[in-house]
Amino acid sequence: MPNLLCDHPPFQIDGNFGATAGIAELLLQSHLGVIDVLPALPAAWPDGTVTGLRARGGVTVDIGWQARAATALDLHTTTARLLTVRSTLLADTPLIDLATGTPVQGTRGDTQITFHTQEGHHYRACR
């Protein structure tokens, strides 16, 4: 038997882990130093929430959406670092540092913000 990972249905580890990784990538991507929120949301999921997705750089992300658009975004940071977040929600909604209660100061683009995080802080944008 050359490979035991695929020989014990229904636990085909490569397929099971691959499927969950693919679903996570539909909801959150963090390649090239940018956290991209809902980059490939399927039309079949017009409304929903997800919690606890882990992005590169020690950021845990919670997302809520309605009518295929983000309505809530929570970022929990474990390190102080420069972070870029891209989401249509950020086009018209401020990102608030909940530790200080103040809007995050950073460089804004149409749908993104780049800012310096603080270790252990929680940031939220919510419609």
Side-chain angles (χ1 to χ4, degrees), residues 112-125:
Q112 75 179 34
I113 186 169
T114 301
F115 66 103
H116 290 279
T117 67
Q118 300 298 314
E119 182 178 342
H121 280 219
H122 179 179
Y123 303 92
R124 176 176 290 158

Side-chain angles (χ1 to χ4, degrees), residues 4 39 47-48 50 89 113:
L4 294 177
D47 306 314
V50 64
L89 177 63
I113 186 169

